[in-house]
Amino acid sequence: VDWNTKVVVETRDKKKFEIDRECVKMVHLFTEFLEDAEEGTQIELPLQEVDSEAFRCVYAYLDMYRNKEPEKLEKPLKDDLKNLVSPEDWAYVTQTLLEDGDEKKHDKLVWTLKAINFMQIEPLRDLCCAAIANMLRGKGEKEIMELFNLNEPFTPEEEEKLYQEYEWLRERKD
């Protein structure tokens, strides 16, 4: 490993990824490690909360923006997501996060969102949240419940648990 240009990330399932240091600059969770390390220092970053499948999805995005800044997404969404993001971001959402571009096959999107919440990657979090908002656009309660395979609405206790796990949900609601 060329420690001048690379770091190693180890996921929860003990898979190791050798990645470019430039790619991890967007990861707030890692910025302190990188800032404090001298050039050429061996850096191995543990990701106890992220499995290799989710990390592959995250890394695809980080690699895409290795030497450039992602565009900021306008909030709230004023149009279909496809018209608001770059062709590369749209391809990432439809080809990497949604299986065969099918919004009903959104497991990777959910895994990735959980991973980036832990890793603190704001531009990717915004893109994933926008993708979910885009999926919900124009749908009624029944269609949304079908999309997420829910049989009945959340109880207040279930909602509170979600708010505790995903603080940003409460921010959006209030």
Side-chain angles (χ1 to χ4, degrees):
V1 175
D2 177 0
W3 296 109
N4 289 312
T5 60
K6 305 282 185 188
V7 297
V8 172
V9 173
E10 183 177 352
T11 57
R12 176 178 59 219
D13 50 350
K14 304 295 182 202
K15 301 269 173 42
K16 291 188 178 190
F17 295 84
E18 185 179 312
I19 62 173
D20 193 302
R21 281 183 186 232
E22 289 298 311
C23 291
V24 296
K25 286 185 177 178
M26 212 184 312
V27 181
H28 187 69
L29 180 67
F30 296 156
T31 53
E32 255 184 56
F33 291 110
L34 294 174
E35 288 170 359
D36 293 344
E38 292 181 30
E39 194 167 321
T41 303
Q42 177 177 336
I43 298 178
E44 294 193 25
L45 304 164
L47 275 178
Q48 302 300 337
E49 301 294 320
V50 180
D51 69 19
S52 57
E53 186 70 26
F55 185 74
R56 279 187 187 92
C57 293
V58 171
Y59 183 60
Y61 182 85
L62 295 175
D63 193 43
M64 186 167 66
Y65 285 104
R66 173 189 310 242
N67 293 312
K68 60 184 177 176
E69 283 286 316
E71 293 178 28
K72 292 257 186 223
L73 269 170
E74 185 179 334
K75 299 174 213 166
L77 299 178
K78 303 224 186 285
D79 196 358
D80 189 71
L81 187 61
K82 182 178 184 174
N83 301 325
L84 299 174
V85 297
S86 68
E88 294 85 7
D89 280 350
W90 182 246
Y92 174 78
V93 168
T94 58
Q95 296 169 17
T96 303
L97 301 179
L98 298 175
E99 191 177 321
D100 302 321
D102 183 349
E103 65 183 26
K104 289 185 178 184
K105 297 178 182 178
H106 55 262
D107 288 346
K108 284 183 185 178
L109 174 59
V110 174
W111 301 335
T112 302
L113 185 55
K114 285 181 180 182
I116 58 180
N117 275 327
F118 176 74
M119 295 171 70
Q120 303 169 34
I121 308 169
E122 188 176 342
L124 182 51
R125 185 198 68 203
D126 290 349
L127 180 62
C128 289
C129 288
I132 291 171
N134 195 66
M135 289 165 44
L136 301 178
R137 174 177 258 146
K139 289 182 173 65
E141 182 179 351
K142 184 178 179 190
E143 293 167 299
I144 292 171
M145 289 179 66
E146 250 177 51
L147 179 65
F148 289 99
N149 203 21
L150 301 171
N151 296 323
E152 53 189 61
F154 292 128
T155 64
E157 294 80 19
E158 290 170 325
E159 276 188 28
E160 188 55 38
K161 184 179 177 193
L162 285 170
Y163 287 141
Q164 288 174 358
E165 191 172 346
Y166 305 106
E167 279 295 319
W168 55 269
L169 284 173
R170 190 180 308 276
E171 294 168 14
R172 302 281 191 238
K173 184 179 180 186
D174 297 342

